[in-house]
Amino acid sequence: MDETLRTDLRTRVEELLAEHDPATTGPLEFLRARFDAGLAWVHFPGGLGGLGLPRRHQPFVAELLAAAGAPDRDRRRLTIGLGMAAPTILAYGTEEQQRRFLRPLWTGEEVWCQLFSEPGAGSDLAAVATRASRDGDTWVVNGQKVWTSVAHKARWGMLLARTDPAVPKHAGLTYFLCDMTAPGVEVRPLRQLTGEAEFDEVFLSDVRIPDAHRVGAAGEGWRVAHATLMNERIALGDLAPPRESGMIGVVAGTWRDRPDLRTPGLHAKLLWLWAEAEAARLTGLRLHQKLESDHPGPEGSAVKLALARLAQQLSGLELELLGADGLRYADWTMTQPDLVELTGGDAGYRYLRAKGNSIEGGTSEILRNIIAERVLGLPREPRADSGVAGQEPAR
Amino acid sequence: MNSRAQGADLDLLYSDVEDALRESVRALLSSRCTAQQVTTVYDGGGPGGRLWRSLAVDLELAGLLVPEEHGGAGASAREAAVVLEELGRFVAPVPFLTSSVISVSAALAAGDGTVTARLASGEWTGALAVPLTTGPASFTPAVRVDADGTLRGRVAVVAGAIEADVLLVPAATAAGTELHLVMADDPGIRITPVVSLDMTRQVADLELSGAASRRLLDSSTGETAVRGALRLGAALLASEQVGVADSCLQLTVDYLRQRRQFGRVVAGFQAVKHRLADLWAQVESARAVARYAAAAAGDPDLPVAASLAQAYCSEVAVLAAEECVQLHGGIGMTWEYPAHLYLKRAKADQLALGNAAAHLTHLAELVNLPSG
């Protein structure tokens, strides 16, 4: 059965290449044509860049196109849009929203950011205080968001705001798509421990959002945001990353390049972390094989938990391995990068940046609660705020 | 370094056939291999031989890995791995791993139809005469072929030897390692049971002095066959360890959800919840690693998969058993509660077929991370 499917996919790829020769077609034009041919993400529905196939067929299409020298986007710039905005819009967006947003999101014409966290709403995300008040066909938004990765590059933001302060806090939230160029949106860099400002603070003052950019019903924002977060927590990007992807590849590379640094004690540590990293890779692979749809469950939390810890331990080990060179740091100058580079920079940068891995997208402590409660069925944490109206969220 | 996405083309899930096999094994073990029955092996009893006959002959598990033309089921290592998960879950005191996986693998390499057919039918139970601690990378023969052609030497802590009808004995000659078949009742072999840390896989010391044998493999292929059998054993032992770990986690979760202290269910304390969440995550990782090792049985990546499986899954099984004892509190220390059965099996399994350090050292060579 798969063989017929593969033949069909091969034909579609050949047709695309014949009609839009990558040698003579501009990259954006080609990517738009690829989207329209259903070869962007085959597991998306027809007409929205896909063919409604199981997602395991996507790597095959990607391989054929790469072999033909077709242009591709820099996926690293699009992590938030591809990994979080797209599945959320697909699951909860209107047909009009799907047609408007998914194509430029996928081609990379429009970069996305996530306007969730606030100074008073971190792990307790449902405590968001940013207000959206209805005014005819638009909503008027006021508030402050924080830890917004690359907001300074984003065209659109996924916004969680409070629309009904009179009901308990989870019930009073609504999910919007926010135009980052709209009047009243102010993005300020937020410098972090690495020296640069990959994050921003976003201030929203009387920002007007059309009701057509609401995702899900008013008051349904918590459920929609949940879909975004669950997608954030599964390993993003490659369905089948090769062995030694990510931080283990960097450290193993240093080990191979620098025989002068090797010691028995560091060797033992490295080998155990290599085994753990390979175990985490296979766990992610198995999780993806299990995923029949684009709605990952709480199991994905375990992979994020493991990868965060491993990135921290491995980047820490690399500094120890480098010894004297581990005391050098490339540059403390404040810059605003285009993308979040988890394995880029020098060893010192990697060590510092990796500290964020167990905080961003759900702290490791919250993820353990999620596994304990939703996978193992253990009792929920006692809450001091249940039934309290969102107007004065208990923090 | 191989840049292929190892595992991408291998199915790490359980197939319907595997699930059905698991159900039939579990149904039998649920009634015939309860924790109470297993505990009696420490006092000289246990379900032992009759249980093994039911599994080996009635469920036809003895010949699971033997091709159909030699009287077996012609199944793959994936099915054998599922059987081992269940045997681990029940800490079943049966020689499936030593006879139906390791001995069958060596016999298949020898290409001896008679031996494989008898192992497949359950008429014979076999054991490879090496210490249980021997890993695929660390094997050296302790028995030699004497001038008169008989076998001589001592082999300590051999698993499956007590139950065995035949022993597959790696034996040194000047030219290299041969593989010999010795009947367990040969007057030239003495099999002395050892009081073992894990009596559910009791080991025995062997002494061969003038044992008569039949040569199955000569010195050109003997060592490869022995290493191959140990490698497959190491790869599939990981699934037994997953069964042990999974069972420990389940036992602990079930207990803590009903145990109350300070007017609360103990499973509601965050310190406990987070430990159980971490343990669950590690058991699921061990499952992925073990599934990969089973699926990679015919793949060039098997040496990496098998060593990774033993390095990782052996540690997770021990952790799960130790957490099981600790989180149960006092009852976890008692003889009547089954936690100790898992602890003893998990710890013995950690030493079996090469310990984690040995496998990591082997991995270092395989994946080009040299020590100096």
Side-chain angles (χ1 to χ4, degrees):
Chain A
M1 196 171 70
D2 268 17
E3 221 26 68
T4 330
L5 208 56
R6 286 189 168 219
T7 310
D8 175 57
L9 286 172
R10 197 184 296 275
T11 309
R12 286 173 187 269
V13 168
E14 280 162 7
E15 280 170 14
L16 171 70
L17 291 166
E19 284 168 35
H20 306 271
D21 182 358
T24 54
T25 314
L28 183 57
E29 193 191 327
F30 182 87
L31 290 169
R32 286 174 172 168
R34 177 178 161 189
F35 185 94
D36 295 338
L39 297 169
W41 33 31
V42 296
H43 51 290
F44 269 55
L48 296 174
L51 297 166
L53 296 174
R55 62 192 292 164
R56 67 172 184 277
H57 297 293
Q58 183 60 27
F60 176 68
V61 171
E63 272 168 38
L64 291 179
L65 286 164
D72 206 349
R73 312 89 78 223
D74 182 355
R75 290 185 60 100
R76 298 172 307 164
R77 284 178 59 240
L78 309 176
T79 312
I80 295 168
L82 293 172
M84 297 172 236
T88 307
I89 292 170
L90 184 66
Y92 289 99
T94 61
E95 199 182 322
E96 195 184 336
Q97 287 166 350
Q98 292 169 352
R99 296 205 176 280
R100 161 63 187 86
F101 290 109
L102 290 176
R103 191 176 186 244
L105 181 159
W106 185 86
T107 60
E109 289 163 80
E110 292 180 348
V111 171
W112 284 73
C113 69
Q114 185 192 40
L115 301 166
F116 279 16
S117 295
E118 296 181 5
S123 286
D124 186 9
L125 182 61
V128 296
T130 291
R131 285 278 281 122
S133 311
R134 188 141 194 173
D135 179 17
D137 273 351
T138 64
W139 296 79
V140 182
V141 181
N142 283 283
Q144 182 193 347
K145 295 290 176 178
V146 74
W147 316 129
T148 309
S149 293
V150 290
H152 51 276
K153 292 288 173 189
R155 177 68 176 77
W156 294 95
M158 296 164 269
L159 171 70
L160 192 60
R162 186 162 304 283
T163 46
D164 187 351
V167 296
K169 62 184 189 177
H170 289 84
L173 301 171
T174 304
Y175 197 107
F176 298 97
L177 306 178
C178 176
D179 182 349
M180 296 298 286
T181 64
V185 176
E186 188 197 344
V187 177
R188 294 184 202 159
L190 181 60
R191 198 174 183 187
Q192 66 207 45
L193 79 178
T194 53
E196 59 169 14
E198 153 200 322
F199 301 126
D200 298 285
E201 293 178 290
V202 178
F203 294 85
L204 304 161
S205 313
D206 290 330
V207 176
R208 298 188 76 83
I209 297 180
D211 189 52
H213 288 176
R214 170 175 46 80
V215 181
E220 206 190 13
W222 181 250
R223 199 150 73 91
V224 183
H226 204 75
T228 308
L229 292 174
M230 284 296 161
N231 277 290
E232 181 174 14
R233 284 167 197 162
I234 66 164
L236 297 169
D238 263 341
L239 293 183
R243 185 169 281 166
E244 291 193 9
S245 296
M247 205 68 93
I248 182 61
V250 175
V251 184
T254 305
W255 183 271
R256 292 184 188 114
D257 294 345
R258 297 285 306 272
D260 56 310
L261 301 174
R262 297 172 191 165
T263 67
L266 292 172
H267 192 231
K269 280 192 192 179
L270 175 66
L271 291 175
W272 175 243
L273 290 172
W274 192 95
E276 284 200 295
E278 178 64 2
R281 184 184 75 91
L282 291 169
T283 310
L285 197 59
R286 186 163 191 271
L287 181 72
H288 276 296
Q289 291 183 353
K290 241 168 134 175
L291 270 186
E292 285 172 9
S293 66
D294 276 319
H295 309 299
E299 292 85 356
S301 299
V303 178
K304 188 203 176 253
L305 204 56
L307 290 176
R309 178 180 57 79
L310 283 167
Q312 292 169 352
Q313 291 181 335
L314 282 161
S315 58
L317 178 67
E318 193 186 11
L319 283 181
E320 289 176 62
L321 174 61
L322 287 170
D325 285 340
L327 293 175
R328 301 177 197 277
Y329 193 80
D331 189 7
W332 293 112
T333 310
M334 214 287 269
T335 54
Q336 284 187 282
D338 284 6
L339 49 90
V340 181
E341 265 268 59
L342 297 178
T343 55
D346 67 348
Y349 172 86
R350 287 192 287 274
Y351 170 72
L352 295 172
R353 180 60 186 81
K355 293 294 163 237
N357 295 169
S358 53
I359 300 170
E360 58 205 344
T363 66
S364 291
E365 288 69 30
I366 289 291
L367 297 187
R368 287 187 181 97
N369 281 354
I370 289 173
I371 293 170
E373 294 170 13
R374 301 208 201 131
V375 181
L376 295 175
L378 305 184
R380 296 181 68 100
E381 287 301 297
R383 317 194 56 132
D385 61 354
S386 48
V388 175
Q391 196 154 25
E392 294 174 59
R395 282 169 184 155
Chain B
M1 195 62 218
N2 189 343
S3 65
R4 187 169 68 95
Q6 289 90 347
D9 49 347
L10 297 176
D11 183 1
L12 305 180
L13 306 177
Y14 299 108
S15 70
D16 293 344
V17 172
E18 289 159 19
D19 283 339
L21 176 63
R22 179 197 302 284
E23 283 315 311
S24 64
V25 175
R26 187 178 291 187
L28 180 70
L29 295 174
S30 298
S31 63
R32 305 267 307 275
C33 188
T34 63
Q36 255 179 337
Q37 290 167 322
V38 174
T39 307
T40 60
V41 303
Y42 284 88
D43 295 320
R50 286 195 359 261
L51 175 64
W52 172 231
R53 287 217 68 75
S54 297
L55 288 161
V57 180
D58 301 345
L59 294 188
E60 301 179 2
L61 298 183
L64 201 59
L65 288 176
V66 174
E68 289 174 31
E69 62 265 31
H70 293 299
S76 75
R78 297 172 54 100
E79 283 86 34
V82 168
V83 170
L84 281 161
E85 275 188 35
E86 293 309 305
L87 295 177
R89 186 181 307 282
F90 290 85
V91 209
V94 294
F96 178 79
L97 178 70
T98 47
S99 182
S100 313
V101 175
I102 297 175
S103 298
V104 160
S105 169
L108 286 172
D112 188 308
T114 316
V115 178
T116 41
R118 288 184 173 176
L119 289 174
S121 68
E123 182 187 344
W124 279 355
T125 296
L128 184 67
V130 300
L132 177 58
T133 47
T134 312
S138 65
F139 164 72
T140 48
V143 172
R144 66 173 195 277
V145 183
D146 259 356
D148 63 359
T150 62
L151 305 185
R152 185 171 301 276
R154 292 163 189 255
V155 194
V157 295
V158 178
I162 297 166
E163 301 94 324
D165 304 296
V166 290
L167 292 151
L168 300 169
V169 184
T173 67
T177 301
E178 300 178 343
L179 186 67
H180 288 250
L181 183 78
V182 175
M183 301 308 294
D185 58 5
D186 188 276
I189 183 166
R190 201 168 73 210
I191 301 173
T192 312
V194 170
V195 179
S196 307
L197 174 67
D198 171 23
M199 288 296 280
T200 66
R201 183 176 280 137
Q202 191 180 6
V203 291
D205 293 334
L206 308 189
E207 183 164 0
L208 292 86
S209 45
S213 73
R214 180 157 72 83
R215 191 173 75 178
L216 297 178
L217 285 170
D218 66 21
S219 59
S220 65
T221 48
E223 181 168 333
T224 310
V226 173
R227 286 185 193 277
L230 292 170
R231 181 167 290 122
L232 184 66
L236 297 191
L237 175 60
S239 287
E240 178 182 307
Q241 289 159 331
V242 167
V244 168
D246 201 33
S247 201
C248 288
L249 175 65
Q250 198 54 54
L251 207 59
T252 310
V253 167
D254 290 348
Y255 176 72
L256 293 177
R257 281 173 69 172
Q258 49 94 9
R259 170 75 175 166
R260 297 178 76 89
Q261 291 284 274
F262 303 104
R264 292 172 60 182
V265 169
V266 174
F269 289 99
Q270 199 174 41
V272 172
K273 283 165 72 176
H274 282 191
R275 275 170 81 161
L276 291 172
D278 280 335
L279 188 57
W280 176 83
Q282 290 180 73
V283 172
E284 287 308 299
S285 279
R287 192 187 305 282
V289 168
R291 285 270 87 193
Y292 180 60
D299 191 275
D301 201 40
L302 176 63
V304 172
S307 279
L308 173 74
Q310 271 318 293
Y312 191 80
C313 300
S314 65
E315 300 291 310
V316 172
V318 170
L319 174 72
E322 291 178 350
E323 289 288 78
C324 180
V325 172
Q326 173 64 24
L327 292 171
H328 274 81
I331 193 143
M333 283 298 291
T334 63
W335 189 261
E336 71 171 278
Y337 199 78
H340 68 104
L341 300 177
Y342 291 104
L343 181 66
K344 292 161 188 172
R345 172 63 74 86
K347 196 64 193 177
D349 274 0
Q350 188 187 37
L351 313 185
L353 297 167
N355 62 21
H359 283 285
L360 287 173
T361 303
H362 189 45
L363 267 179
E365 290 168 32
L366 295 171
V367 305
N368 182 29
L369 291 170
S371 60

